[in-house]
mmCIF file of all heavy atoms in Angstrom:
data_model
loop_
_atom_site.group_PDB
_atom_site.id
_atom_site.type_symbol
_atom_site.label_atom_id
_atom_site.label_comp_id
_atom_site.label_asym_id
_atom_site.label_seq_id
_atom_site.Cartn_x
_atom_site.Cartn_y
_atom_site.Cartn_z
ATOM 1 N N MET A 1 68.138 94.311 61.461
ATOM 2 C CA MET A 1 67.784 95.717 61.418
ATOM 3 C C MET A 1 68.665 96.436 60.410
ATOM 4 O O MET A 1 69.848 96.142 60.289
ATOM 5 C CB MET A 1 68.003 96.368 62.773
ATOM 6 C CG MET A 1 66.952 96.082 63.764
ATOM 7 S SD MET A 1 67.163 97.204 65.152
ATOM 8 C CE MET A 1 66.039 96.445 66.243
ATOM 9 N N ALA A 2 68.072 97.384 59.727
ATOM 10 C CA ALA A 2 68.824 98.193 58.783
ATOM 11 C C ALA A 2 69.642 99.229 59.538
ATOM 12 O O ALA A 2 69.219 99.751 60.566
ATOM 13 C CB ALA A 2 67.868 98.889 57.818
ATOM 14 N N GLN A 3 70.825 99.514 59.025
ATOM 15 C CA GLN A 3 71.674 100.542 59.620
ATOM 16 C C GLN A 3 71.461 101.841 58.843
ATOM 17 O O GLN A 3 71.461 101.844 57.617
ATOM 18 C CB GLN A 3 73.137 100.139 59.566
ATOM 19 C CG GLN A 3 74.026 101.153 60.272
ATOM 20 C CD GLN A 3 75.453 100.694 60.327
ATOM 21 O OE1 GLN A 3 76.129 100.715 59.319
ATOM 22 N NE2 GLN A 3 75.886 100.282 61.506
ATOM 23 N N VAL A 4 71.280 102.934 59.575
ATOM 24 C CA VAL A 4 71.066 104.247 58.963
ATOM 25 C C VAL A 4 72.267 105.124 59.268
ATOM 26 O O VAL A 4 72.663 105.265 60.432
ATOM 27 C CB VAL A 4 69.776 104.908 59.509
ATOM 28 C CG1 VAL A 4 69.557 106.246 58.844
ATOM 29 C CG2 VAL A 4 68.573 104.000 59.288
ATOM 30 N N CYS A 19 72.351 104.816 63.439
ATOM 31 C CA CYS A 19 71.365 104.147 64.278
ATOM 32 C C CYS A 19 70.810 102.956 63.508
ATOM 33 O O CYS A 19 70.989 102.852 62.299
ATOM 34 C CB CYS A 19 70.255 105.100 64.715
ATOM 35 S SG CYS A 19 69.220 105.707 63.387
ATOM 36 N N ASP A 20 70.169 102.068 64.210
ATOM 37 C CA ASP A 20 69.531 100.903 63.600
ATOM 38 C C ASP A 20 68.018 101.080 63.655
ATOM 39 O O ASP A 20 67.483 101.575 64.647
ATOM 40 C CB ASP A 20 69.911 99.627 64.339
ATOM 41 C CG ASP A 20 71.381 99.296 64.198
ATOM 42 O OD1 ASP A 20 71.950 99.599 63.133
ATOM 43 O OD2 ASP A 20 71.962 98.732 65.135
ATOM 44 N N VAL A 21 67.350 100.692 62.569
ATOM 45 C CA VAL A 21 65.895 100.798 62.495
ATOM 46 C C VAL A 21 65.354 99.509 61.891
ATOM 47 O O VAL A 21 65.879 99.016 60.900
ATOM 48 C CB VAL A 21 65.457 102.011 61.636
ATOM 49 C CG1 VAL A 21 63.951 102.055 61.480
ATOM 50 C CG2 VAL A 21 65.979 103.304 62.228
ATOM 51 N N ASP A 22 64.304 98.990 62.484
ATOM 52 C CA ASP A 22 63.638 97.798 61.979
ATOM 53 C C ASP A 22 62.350 98.242 61.294
ATOM 54 O O ASP A 22 61.368 98.577 61.964
ATOM 55 C CB ASP A 22 63.348 96.842 63.126
ATOM 56 C CG ASP A 22 62.787 95.515 62.643
ATOM 57 O OD1 ASP A 22 62.980 95.185 61.457
ATOM 58 O OD2 ASP A 22 62.165 94.819 63.451
ATOM 59 N N ALA A 23 62.369 98.291 59.962
ATOM 60 C CA ALA A 23 61.197 98.715 59.191
ATOM 61 C C ALA A 23 61.262 98.078 57.810
ATOM 62 O O ALA A 23 62.343 97.759 57.311
ATOM 63 C CB ALA A 23 61.143 100.228 59.083
ATOM 64 N N VAL A 29 61.093 103.587 57.645
ATOM 65 C CA VAL A 29 62.339 103.975 58.311
ATOM 66 C C VAL A 29 62.294 105.463 58.629
ATOM 67 O O VAL A 29 62.610 105.887 59.744
ATOM 68 C CB VAL A 29 63.570 103.635 57.450
ATOM 69 C CG1 VAL A 29 64.826 104.296 58.008
ATOM 70 C CG2 VAL A 29 63.761 102.129 57.338
ATOM 71 N N VAL A 63 63.164 97.584 52.362
ATOM 72 C CA VAL A 63 64.421 97.670 53.102
ATOM 73 C C VAL A 63 64.716 96.287 53.685
ATOM 74 O O VAL A 63 63.949 95.777 54.504
ATOM 75 C CB VAL A 63 64.320 98.719 54.237
ATOM 76 C CG1 VAL A 63 65.564 98.689 55.102
ATOM 77 C CG2 VAL A 63 64.087 100.100 53.663
ATOM 78 N N ALA A 64 65.814 95.692 53.244
ATOM 79 C CA ALA A 64 66.228 94.399 53.782
ATOM 80 C C ALA A 64 66.813 94.590 55.180
ATOM 81 O O ALA A 64 67.265 95.680 55.538
ATOM 82 C CB ALA A 64 67.276 93.770 52.855
ATOM 83 N N ALA A 65 66.805 93.526 55.950
ATOM 84 C CA ALA A 65 67.296 93.598 57.330
ATOM 85 C C ALA A 65 68.758 94.013 57.406
ATOM 86 O O ALA A 65 69.174 94.652 58.366
ATOM 87 C CB ALA A 65 67.096 92.256 58.014
ATOM 88 N N ASP A 66 69.544 93.701 56.386
ATOM 89 C CA ASP A 66 70.970 94.040 56.396
ATOM 90 C C ASP A 66 71.296 95.262 55.542
ATOM 91 O O ASP A 66 72.453 95.512 55.211
ATOM 92 C CB ASP A 66 71.797 92.843 55.940
ATOM 93 C CG ASP A 66 71.494 92.437 54.499
ATOM 94 O OD1 ASP A 66 70.478 92.894 53.933
ATOM 95 O OD2 ASP A 66 72.272 91.639 53.947
ATOM 96 N N ALA A 67 70.292 96.048 55.191
ATOM 97 C CA ALA A 67 70.484 97.215 54.324
ATOM 98 C C ALA A 67 71.205 98.342 55.059
ATOM 99 O O ALA A 67 71.157 98.445 56.284
ATOM 100 C CB ALA A 67 69.141 97.718 53.810
ATOM 101 N N GLU A 68 71.851 99.184 54.273
ATOM 102 C CA GLU A 68 72.456 100.402 54.793
ATOM 103 C C GLU A 68 71.784 101.586 54.105
ATOM 104 O O GLU A 68 71.841 101.707 52.892
ATOM 105 C CB GLU A 68 73.954 100.426 54.525
ATOM 106 C CG GLU A 68 74.631 101.676 55.061
ATOM 107 C CD GLU A 68 76.105 101.682 54.789
ATOM 108 O OE1 GLU A 68 76.489 102.096 53.679
ATOM 109 O OE2 GLU A 68 76.866 101.257 55.676
ATOM 110 N N LEU A 69 71.135 102.429 54.896
ATOM 111 C CA LEU A 69 70.485 103.625 54.373
ATOM 112 C C LEU A 69 71.346 104.828 54.706
ATOM 113 O O LEU A 69 71.882 104.917 55.813
ATOM 114 C CB LEU A 69 69.105 103.835 54.999
ATOM 115 C CG LEU A 69 67.992 102.924 54.515
ATOM 116 C CD1 LEU A 69 68.065 101.583 55.189
ATOM 117 C CD2 LEU A 69 66.659 103.572 54.751
#
Side-chain angles (χ1 to χ4, degrees):
M1 282 193 190
Q3 184 175 73
V4 181
C19 66
D20 294 327
V21 176
D22 186 21
V29 168
V63 173
D66 63 346
E68 180 180 84
L69 285 80

